[in-house]
Every structure is written in C-alpha cells, then in structure tokens.
Amino acid sequence: MELKNYMEDFVLDKLDELIPHYPDYCWCDECKRDVAILALNHLPPKYISTEKGQILTRAECLGSQYDVEIVKQIAAAVAVVKEHPRHKTA
Ligand SMILES: [Zn+2]
C-alpha cells in the first residue's frame, strides 16, 4: 500500500509560485524547507493512494478551497522563519 500526503505537493508548488513575492527572504534549501514544514503542520493532511488517479486528484484540488489557506500558512511561515532562520549566516 502506498500512501501520499498530496498537501505536500500543493504547498511546494505554491511555494515556488510565491517565492518572487518575497525577494528579501532567504530561499536557500534550508529556509525553503522550514517554511514548507511549518506551513504543512498547520494544514490538514490529504492522503491519496498513489496507485490511482494521482494526477486527477491533484487537478481537482488545485484552485480549491485550500488555495487561500495554503497561501495564508506559507505567509505566516515565512514571517516566522525570517525571524529565526536556521541556516548558517556567513
Ligand atoms: Zn537560508
């Protein structure tokens, strides 16, 4: 049995979309991952079986009610990580 939390994909997709909106934020791998983790912890997991209809399910959910919530949680996560970045500042 293969399960996948596809909320993960949505958050990562949305993150890539939103990066240009935060030009002063550090988007190194570590900071990007921290934002994704923080946002995901505040969003409901959405599990699907990867065996069937993954693409369909993705398409269905994109532009859904989660869109607004995902953007909101990413914005909140950016604000938090920006204050407490874990990367090593050179
Ligand atoms: Zn960084």
Side-chain angles (χ1 to χ4, degrees):
M1 183 174 68
E2 278 214 58
L3 293 175
K4 179 175 168 56
N5 177 7
Y6 69 77
M7 186 58 88
E8 227 174 276
D9 285 359
F10 292 139
V11 167
L12 293 178
D13 280 359
K14 190 52 81 179
L15 202 53
D16 283 338
E17 238 178 81
L18 290 174
I19 282 174
H21 296 269
Y22 298 97
D24 57 338
Y25 180 74
C26 170
W27 289 110
C28 73
D29 281 353
E30 214 163 337
C31 293
K32 196 174 165 183
R33 192 191 53 209
D34 280 352
V35 167
I37 290 170
L38 214 54
L40 277 167
N41 281 338
H42 289 95
L43 290 162
K46 291 291 159 193
Y47 284 98
I48 52 162
S49 159
T50 53
E51 280 165 41
K52 54 172 182 179
Q54 191 173 347
I55 291 163
L56 180 72
T57 320
R58 271 179 71 102
E60 269 174 358
C61 194
L62 282 171
S64 75
Q65 77 255 36
Y66 293 114
D67 214 64
V68 172
E69 191 59 22
I70 290 170
V71 171
K72 202 174 99 185
Q73 292 303 341
I74 288 175
V78 165
V80 171
V81 180
K82 203 175 174 179
E83 289 302 308
H84 306 282
R86 291 198 302 170
H87 62 190
K88 294 167 191 71
T89 37

